[in-house]
Amino acid sequence: MVLPEELQLKPRLFHHPLNSYDLSDPSRFTFVEILEDGVFLYTAVVWSVSLKRRIRLAYLRKAQDGVSRYVVLFSSDTDIDPLPLYRGYAARFQIEFIFRDARQFTGLADCQARSPDALDSHVKASLMALSLAKAALLSTQAKTEAEAEAAPPVSLSLPSNDRPSISIFSTYLPPCSTWSQL
């Protein structure tokens, strides 16, 4: 029995919806390559219900201590290769770390100026101070590979239990309030 056209259903675009429970099993994804540290990169084009469009997923999976951990990255450009998608996200997070450190250590968010020129100068001075501080920090770290393996790297960010942290801003840089006098 054939239904009239107005009663026929539209063919499905994707037969199996993807949900968070399916992400532990990469069998529905296409393997791309193995990245550094044993991270497996997979990809798939899936339908996003919230965006109401097809998206490209880059699925990163790493088995560590018997537990499989994963990260899902996506792009609305379905033609993009998953490796540049992964590299773009990695670069984005590095840029976010730069701005986080600038806000925490060099007063990036503490400017009260209203003029565009003053704001521009403040942002440039803050990022330059951060660059100089990181350069000074790198110059104090171990020079040879043997020394680098023996000592843990020094972190500019907030101290953690496994990495020593030093405050180089108190020794190398004047307080932010005196920058306008320089």
Side-chain angles (χ1 to χ4, degrees), residues 27-162:
S27 64
R28 297 177 66 190
F29 295 90
T30 304
F31 176 75
V32 178
E33 69 177 75
I34 299 176
L35 303 172
E36 67 278 348
D37 298 331
V39 177
F40 292 82
L41 176 63
Y42 299 89
T43 189
V45 176
V46 298
W47 180 259
S48 171
V49 175
S50 61
L51 297 175
K52 297 181 177 84
R53 64 183 304 166
R54 294 167 47 143
I55 59 172
R56 163 77 62 189
L57 286 183
Y59 174 78
L60 303 156
R61 185 176 61 91
K62 180 177 183 175
Q64 184 176 13
D65 299 330
V67 178
S68 182
R69 301 180 190 274
Y70 62 89
V71 173
V72 180
L73 311 172
F74 79 93
S75 173
S76 59
D77 181 8
T78 57
D79 297 328
I80 192 170
D81 189 46
L83 197 56
L85 177 64
Y86 163 72
R87 288 184 182 141
Y89 268 96
R92 176 177 173 248
F93 284 116
Q94 291 301 318
I95 293 168
E96 286 186 15
F97 292 148
I98 290 169
F99 281 102
R100 182 205 60 195
D101 288 344
R103 279 193 312 270
Q104 282 182 345
F105 298 116
T106 63
L108 178 64
D110 297 334
C111 183
Q112 297 181 4
R114 302 252 188 247
S115 115
D117 290 338
L119 288 170
D120 187 50
S121 295
H122 180 77
V123 169
K124 288 178 181 176
S126 180
L127 293 175
M128 182 181 67
L130 181 66
S131 296
L132 291 173
K134 286 188 176 188
L137 182 65
L138 288 173
S139 69
T140 62
Q141 287 185 345
K143 302 293 185 227
T144 66
E145 287 184 30
E147 291 174 354
E149 289 177 7
V154 179
S155 173
L156 179 67
S157 298
L158 291 175
S160 63
N161 294 336
D162 58 340

Side-chain angles (χ1 to χ4, degrees), residues 1-11:
M1 174 176 160
V2 178
L3 294 173
E5 278 188 43
E6 60 270 1
L7 295 179
Q8 288 184 1
L9 299 175
K10 183 177 152 185

